[in-house]
Amino acid sequence: MKVLCASFRDRAAKPLRIETLCLSHNRLWDSGFSALCLALRDGAFPFLRALRVDSCEVKQMGVIMLSELLSDGHLHSLETLDLQNNDVGTNGGVALGGSLLASSVPQLRCLSLRGSAVSGKGVDVLVDALKSGNRPPLESVDLSLQDVGENAARSLGEGGIAFLRTLSVELCGSAAVVFLNAVSNSEVPPAWEALELCLVGEGVESDSKALRAFASALRVGRLGGLSGVSLNDFDKASLGSGTGEALSEAFSCPCVCLPLLSSFSVQGGDILEGGNGA
């Protein structure tokens, strides 16, 4: 990768008219991705419209380097950025969110972070950036989020990101309740085409509230795009006081249509051991 990028850098004075650079499924690691970023910085690809680095073992430091290039306007013509299945994490999410400005990437329309596990503060910064009036003219975004706080969960559930096409989200406790209630109560149905929802147990009381909110969102028809469900580390006691019945009725209700649901997973905990309406 270093040799390839060096050859392109040597041509920077008279660059090739490359508009699409696809390096997907190559193990670039930090060293290879650093070489790519140097080539991008030095103007080796001034006509670049699509950068695809899906599944390239890019780590958070690499995402930070790329975000700095975006912020500095080195990829002014970029329309598509595919960072699927890389390690964006917390710091990468913060850096990338800070770079999503119309003044820096005025042509950016498609952003894919599917399988890239943006987490913690990175989720907050990224979601705020996608809601901002200063964002690029995005038309399609795919997100994979973990450790989501209540504010970001509410924004996602309310449909505040109209161009969000696929969402994979891991939620626990109050954030799960906030997200699902927002989905149920929003003025318009969610814009996403597919939702992978992972609910993680946190305690009997909060788990019961989350499962009830999930059942409610199903009943009102707001989860038609649900493609996968995971219930992890739930205690069977959370199914008490009618919660189990509410969940069962929601899934068995004829009016609940789930045409995309292809994966249902229950892991950890003892929610399947019976009793209490399980």
Side-chain angles (χ1 to χ4, degrees), residues 5 64-65 94 108 147 152 230-231 234 257 264:
C5 289
I64 292 172
M65 293 177 63
V94 170
L108 189 64
D147 189 19
S230 295
L231 303 177
F234 276 77
C257 183
F264 193 97

Side-chain angles (χ1 to χ4, degrees), residues 77-272:
S77 300
L78 195 67
E79 298 177 5
T80 298
L81 177 58
D82 183 354
L83 279 167
Q84 291 185 71
N85 301 313
N86 290 295
D87 181 18
V88 176
T90 298
N91 295 330
V94 170
L96 185 60
S99 71
L100 294 179
L101 297 170
S103 58
S104 300
V105 278
Q107 306 300 324
L108 189 64
R109 286 170 171 77
C110 300
L111 173 65
S112 182
L113 297 172
R114 187 182 303 180
S116 292
V118 183
S119 59
K121 186 179 179 182
V123 175
D124 296 331
V125 174
L126 184 61
V127 169
D128 285 346
L130 294 175
K131 290 174 56 185
S132 169
N134 296 321
R135 66 175 181 266
L138 288 160
E139 298 173 356
S140 177
V141 171
D142 304 312
L143 295 180
S144 179
L145 309 175
Q146 299 177 350
D147 189 19
V148 180
E150 289 187 24
N151 290 335
R154 183 176 294 104
S155 295
L156 293 165
E158 289 175 343
I161 306 174
F163 43 81
L164 182 57
R165 293 293 172 259
T166 65
L167 173 63
S168 174
V169 60
E170 180 180 294
L171 299 158
C172 66
S174 58
V177 176
V178 166
F179 172 79
L180 291 164
N181 284 342
V183 169
S184 296
N185 300 325
S186 63
E187 295 182 359
V188 295
W192 56 66
E193 297 170 358
L195 170 67
E196 295 180 7
L197 179 63
C198 177
L199 302 179
V200 181
E202 189 177 64
V204 172
E205 184 177 355
S206 63
D207 293 355
S208 180
K209 290 179 180 178
L211 291 175
R212 283 181 172 273
F214 180 42
S216 177
L218 286 169
R219 286 196 305 271
V220 299
R222 289 298 178 87
L223 294 179
L226 195 64
S227 60
V229 179
S230 295
L231 303 177
N232 296 346
D233 301 322
F234 276 77
D235 190 294
K236 65 181 179 181
S238 62
L239 294 174
S241 302
T243 300
E245 288 83 353
L247 195 59
S248 177
E249 290 172 3
F251 270 107
S252 61
C253 180
C255 65
V256 175
C257 183
L258 300 170
L260 301 181
L261 186 62
S262 60
S263 174
F264 193 97
S265 171
V266 179
Q267 300 183 47
D270 58 4
I271 197 172
L272 297 182

